[in-house]
Amino acid sequence: MGGRTRAVVAAAVLLVAGACGGSGGGGSAGGTGVYGDPGAEGAGTTAPRAGAGAASAGGSRAPATTGADRGAGGGGGSAAAPTATAPRVGASGSSGAGGAAKQVTVSGPPGSYARPLLRTGDGQAILLDLLAQEGAALRPSAVDHLVAVLKRESGKAVTTSSTTIPDGPQQWTADDLTATADQRSANKATPDRHVVHVLAVHGTYEQAGVLGIAVRGDVYAVFTDEVGKAGSPLVPAAVIEEAVSTHELGHVLGLVDLVLDTNRGDPDHPGHSKSRGSVMYWAVDSDLVTQVIGGAPATDFDADDRADLAAMRSGK
Ligand SMILES: [Zn+2]
């Protein structure tokens, strides 16, 4: 498989790219997939983002999904990526939030729901809709952490809902994940209460090395078996799970530069922080996380991330 091929040399970069960028790539794209698939590519990569936004508006979920994260991943190969981020945001913003702040369009790429989630006065509450397969649920400690972080950054009441979902594919595509969220969730967003769907599933993402991935403005997934395998005596899986689930939440909240244009993102890994001290560091949702970081990953946003979130909260 293509995945194996790249695993060797390009491992660090590609896998990570895969992790975040992979979503769009689709299985067919394979290793180089991020750019390989024309359709995905447009959505996934940089400029495409704009396309993604448009596409999402049109109703095409796949492109949208991939967009944010994929762009991130794609960045590894494309110099254009950096620019992509900003544009993308714009794109998603226009297609998603649109003129009416209350009109929450959650079919856009990761980041497209960030402003409604964060902005003061835009809804009073956020529901973390936990959709987990039997035996794959996030640990209570990770859930508590997500609730605390989201409450702290949004200033809104945060509650959870837990639902057990049926078995799924061994290898998930972005479409599988969004479709599952749509089919299995009984919790819909309202103007007063936003909803973020958090899938915790067995199996793997279609692209190797992915521990978690944000696939839509309101949907992200954690592959908890993969998280378990990434753990070690030195870095317990519980810590990685907390990091990965928070990292993907960060993408949903527009980090890094999926919404704002601070220019502080990692040019080699769009959508990510250059700081290893941030949970938004690019390696966090890759199975190479502990090797790349050389220890335990951060499990929370750093000061720069939090400044971005505060800016969005205040309406920027
Ligand atoms: Zn990421």
Side-chain angles (χ1 to χ4, degrees), residues 153-164:
E153 301 303 340
S154 69
K156 298 175 186 178
V158 177
T159 56
T160 62
S161 165
S162 295
T163 304
T164 301

Side-chain angles (χ1 to χ4, degrees), residues 20 247 251 272 285:
C20 257
H247 177 105
H251 285 317
H272 295 101
D285 50 19

Side-chain angles (χ1 to χ4, degrees), residues 158-225:
V158 177
T159 56
T160 62
S161 165
S162 295
T163 304
T164 301
I165 60 174
D167 291 344
Q170 283 303 302
Q171 200 174 65
W172 296 78
T173 64
D175 280 350
D176 290 335
L177 294 166
T178 52
T180 298
D182 289 338
Q183 290 165 11
R184 301 299 170 188
S185 176
N187 298 299
K188 305 301 179 194
T190 68
D192 289 333
R193 189 196 64 177
H194 300 294
V195 179
V196 174
H197 308 287
V198 183
L199 291 156
V201 296
H202 296 296
T204 64
Y205 188 62
E206 59 187 340
Q207 196 159 1
V210 175
L211 301 183
I213 191 155
V215 293
R216 201 171 71 190
D218 64 331
V219 180
Y220 74 85
V222 178
F223 301 93
T224 47
D225 293 343

Side-chain angles (χ1 to χ4, degrees), residues 137-158:
L138 297 177
R139 292 166 175 78
S141 57
V143 173
D144 288 348
H145 182 63
L146 291 174
V147 169
V149 166
L150 188 53
K151 183 177 180 183
R152 182 190 72 199
E153 301 303 340
S154 69
K156 298 175 186 178
V158 177

Side-chain angles (χ1 to χ4, degrees), residues 113 117 126-129 194-198 218 220 249 252:
Y113 197 18
L117 286 169
I126 300 172
L127 175 69
L128 277 178
D129 184 38
H194 300 294
V195 179
V196 174
H197 308 287
V198 183
D218 64 331
Y220 74 85
L249 176 65
V252 166

Side-chain angles (χ1 to χ4, degrees), residues 252-311:
V252 166
L253 295 177
L255 297 175
V256 171
D257 270 1
L258 299 183
V259 173
L260 301 176
D261 189 11
T262 64
N263 235 352
R264 72 176 184 84
D266 183 344
D268 293 329
H269 305 96
H272 295 101
S273 171
K274 286 179 278 193
S275 169
R276 292 184 182 218
S278 165
V279 73
M280 297 314 296
Y281 188 60
W282 63 268
V284 169
D285 50 19
S286 157
D287 63 353
L288 295 176
V289 56
T290 59
Q291 296 160 59
V292 172
I293 293 178
T299 58
D300 204 346
F301 304 123
D302 69 6
D304 290 331
D305 298 329
R306 296 196 63 197
D308 289 358
L309 296 170

Side-chain angles (χ1 to χ4, degrees), residues 17-37:
C20 257
S23 78
S28 59
T32 31
V34 180
Y35 296 101
D37 175 13

